Amino acid sequence: MTRQMTGARMVVQALKDQGVDTVFGYPGGAVLPIYDEIFQQNDIRHVLVRHEQGAVHAAEGYARSTGKVGVALVTSGPGATNAVTGLTDALLDSIPIVVLTGQVPTFMIGSDAFQEADTVGITRPCTKHNWLCKDTDALSETIHQAFHVARSGRPGPVLIDIPKDVQFANGEYSPPQATNTSNYQPQLKGDIESITELVEALESAERPVFYTGGGVINSGPAASQLLRELVDATDIPITSTLMGLGAYPASGKNWLGMLGMHGLYEANMAMHGCDLMINIGARFDDRITGLLDAFSPGSKKAHIDIDPSSINKVIRIDIPIVGDVGHVLEDLLKVWKARGRKTNKAAIAKWNDQVAQWRSVDCLSFKQEGKIIKPQYALQRLEALTKDHDRYITTEVGQHQMWAAQYLNFEDPNRWMTSGGLGTMGYGTPASIGAQMAHPDSLVINVAGEASWLMNMQEMGTAMQFRLPVKQFILNNERLGMVRQWQELLHGERYSHSWSEALPDFVKLAEAFGAKGIICSDPDDLDDAIMEMINYDGPVIFDCLVEKHENCFPMIPSGKPHNEMLLGEASTHDAIEAGGAVLV
């Protein structure tokens, strides 16, 4: 059934029909008709950000923490171009968002009108799909299709560019159930013969490893539960990419921790030495593989992914399975159980003994001495004092991000939001706002570096306006930490522009926004200061002054295999004793 309404009203009605309750945006001339419709309703909350990049990152944080599609609304021209970084971030990390942009009227397109940009052309490379909707009658169906594309298959960002005259004009509204989505129906069920082949490989493997990614989380809670059942039943070690943390609990006995460039020693050594690698919902990112020719050289490789283009894109796969992680794991468990729940138990027990030997290296060990806070210690204490809370963590990008992944533990999916593929400095603050809007009663903490945090600090105004008690936990080393580390290790200690000059007083800055500011420089005061942050009912900027020249280890240098990691001095001897070839 259809009914007449303006294009602007169609937008709002379509969002309601898609179950949207929150939109992050910034108004401008080309979207004022839509904003006028938003003003006249109460079902959808609009969150006014301070920058369009913040709107898209907030929508990402909302989506990642809920499993739903995030929505951003921005104007034409600079509004749309400011959204490009967020769109690219969401594309690389497979985050489902819908971005609505205003456009100049159709009769002015191509005339270099005020605030005109070729939004569809600009965003084509950084969206899963985009549309320029010139027909009001087609607008509602386009929006419903956009939500379908964003959430289906490998999730990702989509964009709809809506000219202003289309918003004013009347047209026929079509509800979601009348929308034809048959032209995009990704394969959900995996090939049963390939699944059976994987089960056969699993039954005989002597040194198997599960390598999981964000695709497990994107598939939904059932996929994480099936993964846990499979790991616990087979007693096979499991590691994860940065994006997959929480799919398997950090407290699980088979957990190896994160792998990759700054992954744990035991995870990287297991990946290097396994004879069966089962990739579940990960894309063989270069930060994971390291030197391609030396990546897990002796293993048979299986890859479960809903995106066919990911199969054999980077690494040659022996057992490819295209399908949704949840569906494939369900069938894999059924086949494995029907065949008698067999594994090579003696060999796997020996393999787990080797893993335990690698784990005993304790590659994350550090010494907290003196009166300067080690960044590892700051995050260790943050974990201890917040782990029992209903907690969501976002991060900025840099050393602090890697330390957060190493020292904070996640028991459930959708609790960890970080910029993985694009590595977007400025992601964390708006993402924390999106997560806090979705979970108003939860503890939301953004782990930041001072340089990254300054990139979108204006969003503290959004936090204050909407009374969002987000906690900004800044590890302040007065350096572009990861840049400085690479310059030290790889560029002859030539520190070209890696100092954070002219930093603000973060306490005064917090107070200028109306938030609470806390500064801590003494490890003896850290616990009390963290508790003060947690207990404060409102936004907090926590300025944690840490060791300025601390490096983030373990680290696989560029061009090196997994078994040639740089470790901190405390772990090097133990690693060599445990059978690892370690560069020092």
Side-chain angles (χ1 to χ4, degrees):
M1 182 180 178
T2 60
R3 60 186 191 273
Q4 283 277 325
M5 61 180 71
T6 66
R9 181 163 292 182
M10 278 186 193
V11 171
V12 174
Q13 186 60 51
L15 295 179
K16 290 179 181 178
D17 287 348
Q18 288 291 338
V20 173
D21 56 25
T22 307
V23 171
F24 303 90
Y26 202 98
V31 283
L32 286 184
I34 298 173
Y35 271 89
D36 192 46
E37 288 296 334
I38 288 174
F39 183 84
Q40 298 180 64
Q41 58 82 52
N42 295 311
D43 296 325
I44 297 174
R45 299 171 296 177
H46 179 275
V47 179
L48 178 65
V49 296
R50 271 49 179 173
H51 191 284
E52 291 88 355
Q53 182 185 352
V56 184
H57 291 326
E60 287 186 273
Y62 178 95
R64 189 71 175 170
S65 68
T66 62
K68 299 194 292 187
V69 177
V71 180
L73 171 62
V74 301
T75 195
S76 63
T81 58
N82 283 346
V84 166
T85 298
L87 288 166
T88 311
D89 189 272
L91 183 71
L92 287 176
D93 285 346
S94 305
I95 309 300
I97 58 171
V98 172
V99 176
L100 306 170
T101 58
Q103 184 55 275
V104 301
T106 54
F107 57 85
M108 297 179 71
I109 292 176
S111 69
D112 294 334
F114 177 68
Q115 291 194 333
E116 181 189 1
D118 179 9
T119 300
V120 165
I122 290 167
T123 62
R124 187 172 288 118
C126 59
T127 53
K128 194 175 172 185
H129 195 67
N130 64 14
W131 295 262
L132 170 61
C133 189
K134 294 183 176 181
D135 182 0
T136 306
D137 283 331
L139 180 56
S140 55
E141 183 172 7
T142 300
I143 295 172
H144 297 318
Q145 285 182 343
F147 274 85
H148 172 72
V149 171
R151 66 166 70 97
S152 301
R154 178 179 173 179
V158 298
L159 180 141
I160 310 170
D161 201 28
I162 312 172
K164 193 169 183 179
D165 57 331
V166 172
Q167 299 171 43
F168 276 123
N170 283 305
E172 295 285 341
Y173 178 82
S174 298
Q177 54 269 27
T179 300
N180 180 13
T181 57
S182 61
N183 59 340
Y184 182 61
Q185 293 294 335
Q187 180 178 331
L188 299 180
K189 299 284 284 186
D191 176 67
I192 199 67
E193 290 184 6
S194 297
I195 291 172
T196 303
E197 184 182 357
L198 175 54
V199 169
E200 291 171 350
L202 189 150
E203 289 171 343
S204 60
E206 297 181 356
R207 302 183 310 279
V209 166
F210 289 115
Y211 154 38
T212 59
V216 181
I217 295 171
N218 286 339
S219 182
S224 293
Q225 288 301 319
L226 289 165
L227 175 67
R228 294 167 189 223
E229 181 183 348
L230 179 62
V231 172
D232 294 346
T234 59
D235 201 29
I236 293 173
I238 177 170
T239 182
S240 167
T241 66
L242 182 71
M243 299 303 296
L245 297 177
Y248 183 83
S251 61
K253 76 180 183 71
N254 297 93
W255 179 236
L256 295 170
M258 181 180 74
L259 83 159
M261 178 172 280
H262 292 287
L264 272 62
Y265 180 71
E266 52 266 36
N268 284 331
M269 291 300 292
M271 183 63 79
H272 187 78
C274 68
D275 67 350
L276 175 64
M277 176 203 302
I278 305 173
N279 177 333
I280 307 175
R283 59 185 178 89
F284 292 108
D285 175 73
D286 62 281
R287 286 298 190 266
I288 297 299
T289 60
L291 184 64
L292 287 177
D293 292 343
F295 175 66
S296 194
S299 67
K300 176 180 280 191
K301 298 173 178 65
H303 189 183
I304 302 168
D305 204 297
I306 199 166
D307 181 7
S309 71
S310 290
I311 306 288
N312 288 315
K313 185 176 184 178
V314 178
I315 297 291
R316 190 185 71 79
I317 300 302
D318 301 293
I319 308 174
I321 302 175
V322 176
D324 174 74
V325 165
H327 284 84
V328 174
L329 287 179
E330 184 178 20
D331 287 341
L332 189 146
L333 273 163
K334 285 179 181 177
V335 172
W336 180 70
K337 290 175 181 177
R339 290 169 58 95
R341 301 171 177 259
K342 291 178 286 187
T343 58
N344 190 337
K345 292 183 180 179
I348 289 176
K350 185 178 178 181
W351 176 231
N352 279 320
D353 287 342
Q354 172 64 78
V355 168
Q357 202 176 348
W358 288 326
R359 189 179 280 123
S360 69
V361 168
D362 192 12
C363 66
L364 297 182
S365 63
F366 64 93
K367 294 179 181 178
Q368 174 57 58
E369 298 174 321
K371 285 296 186 180
I372 299 176
I373 299 172
K374 290 268 192 178
Q376 301 96 318
Y377 180 71
L379 287 170
Q380 192 179 73
R381 296 314 304 154
L382 184 71
E383 164 67 15
L385 296 171
T386 64
K387 64 181 180 180
D388 294 329
H389 287 72
D390 178 20
R391 183 188 73 180
Y392 293 82
I393 300 290
T394 68
T395 78
E396 302 291 347
V397 168
Q399 286 179 317
H400 62 274
Q401 176 191 28
M402 295 298 102
W403 281 317
Q406 292 172 344
Y407 290 93
L408 301 181
N409 296 321
F410 299 94
E411 298 297 306
D412 299 298
N414 304 107
R415 297 288 178 150
W416 164 251
M417 283 126 306
T418 193
S419 175
L422 193 60
T424 307
M425 295 174 71
Y427 168 90
T429 302
S432 70
I433 285 171
Q436 191 77 79
M437 284 298 300
H439 308 279
D441 298 324
S442 301
L443 175 63
V444 178
I445 303 170
N446 177 37
V447 177
E450 81 290 338
S452 268
W453 191 84
L454 288 171
M455 285 201 171
N456 271 319
M457 63 178 241
Q458 75 283 344
E459 298 308 328
M460 284 301 293
T462 301
M464 287 304 304
Q465 178 182 345
F466 291 89
R467 298 177 177 83
L468 302 173
V470 288
K471 316 302 183 188
Q472 307 298 319
F473 192 75
I474 300 173
L475 298 182
N476 185 352
N477 58 10
E478 300 179 5
R479 303 288 185 273
L480 311 185
M482 193 63 83
V483 172
R484 186 212 57 76
Q485 176 169 335
W486 279 55
Q487 288 173 337
E488 176 188 334
L489 299 176
L490 303 174
H491 295 279
E493 300 186 25
R494 293 181 293 277
Y495 300 116
S496 178
H497 300 283
S498 54
W499 263 231
S500 293
E501 303 281 5
L503 289 171
D505 180 325
F506 285 104
V507 172
K508 288 182 179 178
L509 183 63
E511 292 169 351
F513 276 110
K516 183 175 186 61
I518 300 172
I519 188 168
C520 184
S521 60
D522 189 330
D524 293 337
D525 299 333
L526 187 57
D527 279 20
D528 288 342
I530 290 174
M531 290 307 300
E532 183 182 4
M533 176 187 77
I534 295 169
N535 293 328
Y536 182 73
D537 186 20
V540 176
I541 299 176
F542 189 115
D543 187 11
C544 187
L545 303 180
V546 298
E547 165 62 47
K548 292 178 172 56
H549 298 106
E550 192 74 10
N551 285 332
C552 183
F553 293 116
M555 177 182 176
I556 303 175
S558 295
K560 295 295 181 180
H562 282 67
N563 65 334
E564 294 189 23
M565 282 165 280
L566 294 171
L567 299 184
E569 292 181 12
S571 300
T572 299
H573 175 74
D574 291 338
I576 294 171
E577 290 294 312
V582 182
L583 295 177
V584 291

